[in-house]
Amino acid sequence: FPVLEETLTGRDNVKIIPGDVMKLDLNQLIRQEFGGGPVCVCANLPYYITSPVILRLLEEGLPLTSITVMVQKEAAQRLCAAQGSADGGAFSLFLQYYMETELLFDVPREKFLPAPKVTSAVIRCVRRSRPAVEVEDADFFFRCVRAAFVLRRKTLANSLAAGLKGFDKAAIQSAIEAGGWSPSVRGEQLTLSDFARLAQLLRSAQA
């Protein structure tokens, strides 16, 4: 903080607020400093808490228009992975449900002092005017998404049977068949639209 106070001296559009982003009351902070928003976030995230920070920013109901952050390159590739590709996962789908993601550029190791062992990348996530897909029950929808990646290298049916409590495998297999997917399909092959349809089919099967 003393270094920042020295290097930012004379810049009246900067205010340093010491604190832990995982503990601060962010809604209160935005009300105090920005009149309630809307705001954008721009940060060089600690790489070991990339997902927890982004998750908190989204789950807190903050008036965000965009999130632009530097993260480890591998994390950036996962977060911006095309839906239905092997690079994606439950968290990338969660992020893309709310945001349009774009990998902007890489940041080589030699740009840092001292140089880290990993390459970094900057991504931009812009808030969608509405979620990417319409779902009847968002909580259940995300339960299905998470369960689909519990056993990532197994079939979707096996992963859902392991991660989705209250559903037997026969009902899950019936829902997958009704959706027109192969019995051998894996969760990583499904898009957000696919998961919305799958969640609806599973709810119907349960009823």
Side-chain angles (χ1 to χ4, degrees), residues 8-29:
L8 297 174
T9 296
R11 299 183 183 273
D12 57 8
N13 62 339
V14 176
K15 182 176 181 179
I16 302 170
I17 301 175
D20 184 339
V21 69
M22 296 302 293
K23 297 178 181 178
L24 287 172
D25 186 333
L26 299 177
N27 271 300
Q28 181 181 358
L29 180 64

Side-chain angles (χ1 to χ4, degrees), residues 92-172:
S92 63
L93 289 172
F94 172 83
L95 177 62
Q96 292 178 32
Y97 177 82
Y98 293 105
M99 316 286 280
E100 294 183 13
T101 61
E102 180 184 7
L103 199 161
L104 299 181
F105 53 85
D106 293 346
V107 183
R109 289 174 287 182
E110 57 268 21
K111 296 297 183 181
F112 297 86
L113 186 65
K117 295 181 180 180
V118 299
T119 299
S120 302
V122 175
I123 66 171
R124 178 186 293 132
C125 311
V126 178
R127 172 79 72 174
R128 298 180 186 273
S129 58
R130 62 185 63 182
V133 293
E134 292 186 11
V135 296
E136 293 181 7
D137 184 338
D139 288 340
F140 181 70
F141 168 76
F142 286 122
R143 279 181 59 199
C144 292
V145 173
R146 288 192 296 270
F149 291 90
V150 166
L151 303 176
R152 187 182 179 101
R153 297 307 172 194
K154 301 294 184 179
T155 64
L156 175 63
N158 284 330
S159 192
L160 289 174
L164 202 57
K165 304 302 180 184
F167 289 84
D168 60 44
K169 192 170 181 179
I172 291 170

Side-chain angles (χ1 to χ4, degrees), residues 36-50:
V39 300
C40 57
V41 170
C42 184
N44 177 12
L45 295 181
Y47 292 176
Y48 70 99
I49 55 169
T50 292

